[in-house]
Amino acid sequence: MSQIAWVPQQEQVKKTKLYQFMKKHGFNDYSTFYQQSIRNIAWLWDEVVKDMGLVWIQPYRQVLDMADGIAKTRWFIDGKINVSANCLDRWVEDPAARHRLALIWEGEDGEVKKYTYRDLWIEVNRLARGLVQLGLKQGDRVAIYLPMIPENVIAMLAVARIGAIYTPCFSGFGAEAVTTRVNDCGAKLLITADGFYRRGKVIAMKEEADRTAELSPSIEKIIMVKRLGRECPWNPDRDIEWDTLMGSSKALSPCVTDASDPFMIIYTSGTTGKPKGTVHVHGGFPIKAAFDAGYCMDVGIGDILFWVTDMGWMMGPWMVIGALMMGSAMLLYEGTPDYPQPDRLWKIVDRYGVTHLGISPTLIRALMKHGEAWLSSYELDSLRAFGSTGEPWNPEPWYWLFEKVGKKKVPILNYSGGTEISGGILGNNLLQPVVPCGFSGPIPGMDADVLDEEGNPVRGEVGELVLRQPWVGMTQGFWKDETRYLQTYWDRWPNLWVHGDWVKVDEAGFWYITGRSDDTIKIAGKRLGPAEMESVLVDHPDVIEACTIGVPDSEKGEVPVCFVVIKETGKEKEPLSTELVRFVSERMGKALKPKQVFIVGDLPKTRNGKILRRVVKAAFLGKAPGDISSLENPQSVDMIKNLAKSCSK
């Protein structure tokens, strides 16, 4: 039975936007409301966009159309809407809202900038005019390769304002990774910076952008932001300084874009082959992101949303659009959350009064190893909710965040979905109890289920997470690759979206993700989600992080092999490795005993803290790892390869 850690107070519940929305439509009970939300999805999203007060250039005549099949569902038929106008113009036109704080930025070097809605609107209009003068047209693509600086937000909204399409690129990418995305979408412009700070070092970007332009025939111009003021190579025929491009601050009317017109192509790493360019439209991603932020997490006017992420990951654009569509403020931070000292994140939260802090379990594991002393200087009393996404939790860091940072008063809103979803499938909210590491269930409008191998619904055991109905925000496919999109999500069972997560619903109705279904290990017929074994390993006092993969075995089909990062205790690796094998066996049973536990210096992970098991497995088995452009620490892959070679000798 799940142990409930946090229960909402009734007076808190009544203040939430979700509760008020429910009451407006005659619902007192969340479960009844959720059932209605999936019984009539057209009703839900019709009422949501009305409740949000979205501005339609032309009203839609029909909420959704599935005439071409569920995989090709179209939303808000004949509706004309522009995301830039709904993030900015509707607030600027309101005298009570235009001077409200919209964006706070802090550089790693301590520099701070703040923008009101009107300030941001002016900058977006200036850049939009400059882009039009460069000849950028509706439907043209722009690659945004910028650090976490205000210009990143301005560029996104300016491109969308004129009806063009942007593709956000992770700031830590090298030229090859950016080139893959630029060439796939055929971007005409590349917006970059001279560089940024990370752990006190200058990270050059313009040179990588130059290499991208040399490898990308479609690039006509590079626009560069002077973040650092450093000397960079310059091509006067191609390169333009950001400040030079900025046009008049006179308002430029938003382009009349259809609800189904793309505004963003955001790439996800492929297990093999090239990354997948998920296409998102004006009447999709913005509404889903705003609903999840505003109704499920209760981000609203007066709040400050700070998600520790990068614009190259879905949670970056999600934070921008979720905050601005709900009339709140976002906080962007350029550097690493534990530099120059381990209290940097807590200092930022305290200084600016952050109300909603988004983190990953890996980030919390990294911060907790420094101890509680770094928290002692900060009240952190502005926090109303933690958001968490990217990977499954294990209990120790979950409790550390809840008890030591949130003082048992701040709920951890576990949130899981993906780039193709525009937000979450599963989540917690401020109306329902919260259990450690789990979810209260599917988010309103998300008709989720768990199926066994034969496609039958299951409870109490692990199965595939699927969606039975379409939802606002579902990707409109992969850019110029419809076949791959259909094969990836719609081919296994008729008219069911198969998400790729391995999920379990317990007897109390709480949901848990145990890992990706393609990471699942089958040991002599028994299925094991790798997160289960990883949770056991990180419960050992010497282990900081863990990763479990399945490797072929002649007797059992597959056996688990584990990799751990340990604390610096001075213990010898070989005896500790043997101890960890025994530790897991005692807790999980001999049938699930790992074949071996390897102690490594680091695990392959993205900047937002997600450990990539598929990369670990490929490296260990000597196979091609697929796209590893999102890795922050590619050297860790070579370490695992070398380890595998030494084992085979």
Side-chain angles (χ1 to χ4, degrees), residues 65-74:
D65 181 354
M66 290 195 287
D68 295 328
I70 184 174
K72 300 178 184 179
T73 301
R74 294 174 60 236

Side-chain angles (χ1 to χ4, degrees), residues 317-589:
W318 182 97
M319 172 176 64
V320 172
I321 292 170
L324 297 180
M325 291 271 282
M326 299 313 298
S328 60
M330 78 191 86
L331 191 149
L332 267 59
Y333 171 56
E334 174 186 45
T336 47
D338 59 352
Y339 183 87
Q341 292 183 313
D343 64 344
R344 185 64 180 265
L345 181 65
W346 317 126
K347 184 179 289 186
I348 290 171
V349 170
D350 211 46
R351 177 181 297 159
Y352 301 108
V354 171
T355 56
H356 295 73
L357 174 63
I359 47 78
S360 68
T362 295
L363 172 58
I364 298 306
R365 283 193 287 267
L367 293 176
M368 67 184 279
K369 71 183 180 184
H370 297 292
E372 297 164 41
W374 292 103
L375 289 164
S376 60
S377 302
Y378 309 104
E379 291 294 325
L380 306 180
D381 54 358
S382 61
L383 283 170
R384 291 203 296 117
F386 296 111
S388 168
T389 193
E391 59 180 321
W393 281 96
N394 56 284
E396 188 184 4
W398 192 96
Y399 276 108
W400 189 85
L401 178 65
F402 181 65
E403 294 177 351
K404 306 303 181 185
V405 184
K407 302 177 179 67
K408 299 184 180 180
K409 297 178 181 177
V410 182
I412 300 174
L413 304 182
N414 218 3
Y415 183 61
S416 184
T419 305
E420 302 89 335
I421 305 295
S422 297
I425 298 173
L426 304 178
N428 293 317
N429 57 56
L430 297 171
L431 277 63
Q432 295 179 286
V434 171
V435 294
C437 311
F439 304 83
S440 59
I443 287 169
M446 307 302 288
D447 191 0
D449 205 348
V450 183
L451 305 184
D452 64 17
E453 288 183 316
E454 285 74 44
N456 302 309
V458 291
R459 292 294 182 269
E461 60 183 85
V462 173
E464 286 276 4
L465 177 64
V466 302
L467 288 163
R468 295 189 175 279
Q469 294 189 76
W471 65 95
V472 163
M474 62 190 292
T475 180
Q476 297 301 289
F478 299 153
W479 182 255
K480 295 185 177 178
D481 198 349
E482 182 179 305
T483 301
R484 189 182 181 197
Y485 164 64
L486 295 173
Q487 288 174 345
T488 302
Y489 294 110
W490 298 100
D491 262 11
R492 183 165 179 187
W493 289 303
N495 297 320
L496 288 181
W497 170 284
V498 180
H499 191 60
D501 277 343
W502 210 237
V503 172
K504 181 178 180 179
V505 184
D506 73 6
E507 64 276 14
F510 292 103
W511 294 52
Y512 296 86
I513 291 178
T514 63
R516 297 291 293 171
S517 55
D518 53 8
D519 289 335
T520 301
I521 307 162
K522 197 167 185 178
I523 308 162
K526 301 179 183 70
R527 288 189 173 273
L528 172 73
E532 296 176 61
M533 190 167 286
E534 291 160 4
S535 289
V536 171
L537 282 163
V538 295
D539 277 343
H540 190 282
D542 292 325
V543 176
I544 300 170
E545 290 179 326
C547 174
T548 298
I549 61 169
V551 300
D553 181 80
S554 57
E555 290 183 16
K556 297 184 177 181
E558 274 189 308
V559 290
V561 170
C562 307
F563 302 82
V564 298
V565 178
I566 61 170
K567 297 172 185 174
E568 294 179 8
T569 60
K571 288 187 178 180
E572 292 185 20
K573 288 185 178 180
E574 196 168 322
L576 180 56
S577 176
T578 303
E579 180 186 331
L580 290 170
V581 170
R582 187 171 62 251
F583 183 79
V584 174
S585 177
E586 288 171 354
R587 282 155 181 77
M588 298 193 72

Side-chain angles (χ1 to χ4, degrees), residues 155-452:
M156 289 164 53
L157 295 172
V159 171
R161 190 173 192 84
I162 63 174
I165 306 165
Y166 68 84
T167 185
C169 299
F170 168 47
S171 60
F173 276 157
E176 288 75 13
V178 180
T179 300
T180 299
R181 289 149 177 80
V182 165
N183 285 339
D184 188 65
C185 72
K188 290 176 69 173
L189 300 181
L190 178 58
I191 302 178
T192 192
D194 53 358
F196 62 100
Y197 292 115
R198 187 161 177 81
R199 295 199 175 279
K201 297 177 182 177
V202 169
I203 307 298
M205 295 189 82
K206 176 57 164 59
E207 290 82 351
E208 297 299 316
D210 287 343
R211 288 176 57 213
T212 295
E214 290 163 10
L215 297 167
S216 307
S218 62
I219 292 292
E220 297 174 4
K221 299 288 182 183
I222 293 179
I223 300 163
M224 190 192 79
V225 178
K226 280 192 169 182
R227 160 67 184 108
L228 304 177
R230 57 184 284 268
E231 289 293 321
C232 295
W234 199 256
N235 179 345
D237 296 326
R238 182 194 63 202
D239 300 342
I240 304 169
E241 279 191 22
W242 174 280
D243 290 343
T244 304
L245 183 66
M246 297 294 272
S248 162
S249 60
K250 184 181 176 183
L252 179 69
S253 296
C255 180
V256 178
T257 44
D258 193 87
S260 61
D261 284 343
F263 78 97
M264 176 175 69
I265 303 168
I266 184 164
Y267 286 84
T268 65
S269 297
T271 305
T272 58
K274 67 180 183 179
K276 302 169 291 194
T278 59
V279 179
H280 288 293
V281 299
H282 284 264
F285 186 105
I287 297 168
K288 171 65 172 164
F291 178 78
D292 287 6
Y295 292 77
C296 299
M297 299 187 188
D298 206 44
V299 175
I301 293 168
D303 289 327
I304 297 174
L305 172 62
F306 173 28
W307 212 284
V308 183
T309 184
D310 188 276
M311 289 302 169
W313 313 138
M314 188 213 77
M315 293 308 295
W318 182 97
M319 172 176 64
V320 172
I321 292 170
L324 297 180
M325 291 271 282
M326 299 313 298
S328 60
M330 78 191 86
L331 191 149
L332 267 59
Y333 171 56
E334 174 186 45
T336 47
D338 59 352
Y339 183 87
Q341 292 183 313
D343 64 344
R344 185 64 180 265
L345 181 65
W346 317 126
K347 184 179 289 186
I348 290 171
V349 170
D350 211 46
R351 177 181 297 159
Y352 301 108
V354 171
T355 56
H356 295 73
L357 174 63
I359 47 78
S360 68
T362 295
L363 172 58
I364 298 306
R365 283 193 287 267
L367 293 176
M368 67 184 279
K369 71 183 180 184
H370 297 292
E372 297 164 41
W374 292 103
L375 289 164
S376 60
S377 302
Y378 309 104
E379 291 294 325
L380 306 180
D381 54 358
S382 61
L383 283 170
R384 291 203 296 117
F386 296 111
S388 168
T389 193
E391 59 180 321
W393 281 96
N394 56 284
E396 188 184 4
W398 192 96
Y399 276 108
W400 189 85
L401 178 65
F402 181 65
E403 294 177 351
K404 306 303 181 185
V405 184
K407 302 177 179 67
K408 299 184 180 180
K409 297 178 181 177
V410 182
I412 300 174
L413 304 182
N414 218 3
Y415 183 61
S416 184
T419 305
E420 302 89 335
I421 305 295
S422 297
I425 298 173
L426 304 178
N428 293 317
N429 57 56
L430 297 171
L431 277 63
Q432 295 179 286
V434 171
V435 294
C437 311
F439 304 83
S440 59
I443 287 169
M446 307 302 288
D447 191 0
D449 205 348
V450 183
L451 305 184
D452 64 17

Side-chain angles (χ1 to χ4, degrees), residues 39-67:
R39 189 179 300 117
N40 191 341
I41 53 174
W43 165 82
L44 174 72
W45 296 112
D46 189 31
E47 294 300 335
V48 165
V49 297
K50 291 174 186 173
D51 199 64
M52 284 182 183
L54 298 189
V55 175
W56 294 85
I57 302 167
Q58 176 179 301
Y60 52 91
R61 61 173 176 81
Q62 184 179 337
V63 177
L64 78 163
D65 181 354
M66 290 195 287

